[in-house]
Amino acid sequence: LLDENRCSVSGRQPGEGRRPWVNGNAQILIDTQVPASRLTDATMAHRPLFARVAPEILAKPTLLCLVKLFDIFQHLDHDHATFSKAEEAVDDFIKIVARTAVMRRAFRYAVDTLGLDLDESDESQDSSRSWQKQIREVWFTRAGGRPCAFEHIFVGNLSEDSDGHPVAGGLHCWLKFYLEELRGTARYLGYFYNRSPKEALQD
């Protein structure tokens, strides 16, 4: 497997109530509980989504840099076009991420399949060919006053619905949701599966 940060994940066996875990020794235990309602924000689930996250997962270099970026981006003024406060943290994150097997594979795809003329080293004399510069532009460039891709995908865009309730758009990162659950700023309401929970757990 390419992803050295991959974790073992398990949920509860299908059925009502607090069923046994499929794999109680997994590094991450998720408690999906019940389906959420599309018609209301009423709490359908009564426990957090994350029942356990093994501490060693959070000590990985990529995740440590990611958490640092969460803290910085949480407090950035969304009207600013640049990230002067975050420059050093963004650079550190990109350098670490660019070294991972997943991003090395992405680099090979960009060069071999897409035909991009890129240099994988971070010391490229022609900065326009730098792979890390390309990552920065794709993930961290704001346009038209809108959040950058990193903010949308990893941090989430907070807004309000028509009734004034807070709503998070984006927020596709499990780690961010887990940390917000710990802080009490995110509430798990239940799940939506495109297939049965049993099929999802078997994957």
Side-chain angles (χ1 to χ4, degrees):
L1 296 173
L2 279 177
D3 188 359
E4 59 263 37
N5 287 319
R6 187 181 176 96
C7 305
S8 58
V9 181
S10 183
R12 294 188 186 277
Q13 295 175 9
E16 297 295 322
R18 293 193 186 207
R19 304 289 295 165
W21 300 105
V22 173
N23 174 9
N25 295 319
Q27 293 171 298
I28 298 176
L29 297 178
I30 55 171
D31 191 0
T32 53
Q33 301 165 61
V34 296
S37 169
R38 293 184 185 271
L39 303 176
T40 176
D41 65 354
T43 303
M44 308 300 289
H46 296 287
R47 298 182 299 277
L49 173 62
F50 289 93
R52 180 169 72 97
V53 173
E56 64 269 16
I57 293 172
L58 304 179
K60 295 181 178 183
T62 48
L63 296 189
L64 289 173
C65 282
L66 187 55
V67 170
K68 184 175 180 181
L69 280 181
F70 289 161
D71 292 339
I72 290 171
F73 274 83
Q74 199 77 37
H75 299 98
L76 277 184
D77 183 345
H78 285 264
D79 292 331
H80 290 174
T82 59
F83 305 113
S84 55
K85 295 182 194 174
E87 287 296 320
E88 185 178 335
V90 167
D91 285 341
D92 290 345
F93 177 71
I94 291 174
K95 284 176 185 174
I96 286 179
V97 168
R99 294 186 201 123
T100 65
V102 169
M103 291 304 288
R104 288 197 302 272
R105 171 72 66 89
F107 171 79
R108 292 274 28 114
Y109 179 82
V111 171
D112 297 341
T113 304
L114 301 180
L116 300 180
D117 182 22
L118 296 173
D119 184 344
E120 193 170 15
S121 75
D122 58 350
E123 302 296 333
S124 174
Q125 291 182 346
D126 180 2
S127 63
S128 67
R129 294 182 58 236
S130 165
W131 173 233
Q132 292 186 21
K133 183 174 185 290
Q134 293 296 316
I135 295 171
R136 173 185 280 276
E137 288 181 2
V138 171
W139 287 2
F140 295 97
T141 299
R142 287 175 169 173
R146 300 181 63 183
C148 66
F150 177 86
E151 289 173 285
H152 173 76
I153 294 167
F154 289 90
V155 181
N157 318 116
L158 295 178
S159 60
E160 291 184 350
D161 64 15
S162 58
D163 295 324
H165 297 118
V167 175
L171 190 58
H172 306 298
C173 177
W174 73 265
L175 177 60
K176 178 64 172 166
F177 188 81
Y178 166 67
L179 294 174
E180 295 302 330
E181 273 199 330
L182 287 181
R183 293 185 181 116
T185 53
R187 185 178 53 159
Y188 176 65
L189 302 177
Y191 64 81
F192 291 119
Y193 280 124
N194 291 328
R195 50 195 176 147
S196 75
K198 184 176 181 181
E199 289 175 326
L201 282 173
Q202 288 171 347
D203 286 347

